[in-house]
Amino acid sequence: MSGTSASEYICKCTSACAGCSSSLILRHVLKAAGPDTVLVVPACCTSVLQGVWPNTSFNIPVYNVAFAAAAAVASGMAAAFEAVGKNTNVIAYAGDGGTVDIGIQALSGALERDTNFLYICYDNEAYGNTGMQRSGSTPLGARTTTTPGGKTHAKKDLDRIIAAHHLPYMATACSAYPQDLVKKVQKALSIRGPKFMHILAPCPPGWRYDASQTIEIGKMAVKTGIWAMYEREYDTLTLSGPTKAAMIKPAPLEEYLKMQGRFSGMNEEKVKAIRGEMERNLRLLKAEAEGTC
């Protein structure tokens, strides 16, 4: 891809599951960022897939930190680099459990302090590293090990919580659209101050689909509109092309749900509720992008 490093910063033979989209996301993120990058990783799937000391599958410095501390550690690291005049990219790379739930306090504090870093939440919509327990990011109706009958609450609206901090840049992306993802990472790293990206990361064992379908499911999430892609620069929102297309002619939501075992046995009432949440979100985003809200 244009502007990305030819080097690889994730080596072969990681400890990731087959079809893991979070490792695919990280490969693109690091190729966009380049070698002068430090990664801060809290407890999550990424802290496992990097390998067991003294070996590692990562070709850049990585700091493994406590579940709640990624943004706080990255904030201190960014201040230290600035104090010695270095422009090293500081990237916090955390799952939804460590962002939407456990790490949200430290994240909010770092954003409020105008920390010069990029925080990326790769969202597999559950606590994947510890057996797919329900997180605040798990969607309504999804079966997890702690919601075997399907989650009874809607997914937490993380992006509007982050938007309330009025960042210079935030964006959403999906592992199935790598060119869009890379461009957004490069743009984020070109801007000084706090940046945030929320990236959908389909998970074969947790979402209960065959590993070969990871890209197909990611694309379906965007084409149905259940996952919207956009950029927000301060308070100006721009919809990404695939989401604009989904607003005009969406793919069937039921088809997306049927592709995943976690939504098995869902009744029409739950499907209707999911559709209602999705359509409400798209209406709000469209109105914001058009300046009519």
Side-chain angles (χ1 to χ4, degrees), residues 18-174:
C20 172
S21 67
S22 65
S23 55
L24 179 62
I25 290 166
L26 187 56
R27 177 177 182 248
H28 293 310
V29 167
L30 295 179
K31 286 178 77 67
D36 193 10
T37 299
V38 176
L39 204 62
V40 179
V41 179
C44 61
C45 293
T46 303
S47 60
V48 174
L49 69 88
Q50 70 191 47
V52 180
W53 188 90
N55 301 307
T56 179
S57 59
F58 290 177
N59 197 22
I60 58 163
V62 180
Y63 283 75
N64 293 117
V65 301
F67 223 146
V73 171
S75 187
M77 192 179 290
F81 281 132
E82 185 172 352
V84 296
K86 287 183 67 68
N87 294 316
T88 299
N89 298 315
V90 177
I91 300 178
Y93 192 74
D96 50 285
T99 303
V100 178
D101 298 334
I102 297 172
I104 198 166
Q105 180 177 350
L107 174 56
S108 179
L111 299 180
E112 183 267 333
R113 290 190 300 271
D114 282 335
T115 299
N116 183 31
F117 77 145
L118 170 59
Y119 189 107
I120 295 176
C121 173
Y122 66 94
D123 191 351
N124 60 15
E125 300 186 324
Y127 286 84
N129 184 26
T130 52
M132 294 311 289
Q133 297 88 359
R134 162 230 203 273
S135 81
S137 194
T138 302
L140 177 69
R143 295 175 183 269
T144 69
T145 53
T146 50
T147 58
K151 186 170 175 248
T152 55
H153 301 90
K155 182 171 180 170
K156 187 184 292 185
D157 195 345
L158 173 67
D159 296 322
R160 289 190 173 88
I161 294 171
I162 300 301
H165 293 76
H166 307 291
L167 307 189
Y169 186 80
M170 66 174 288
T172 61
C174 175

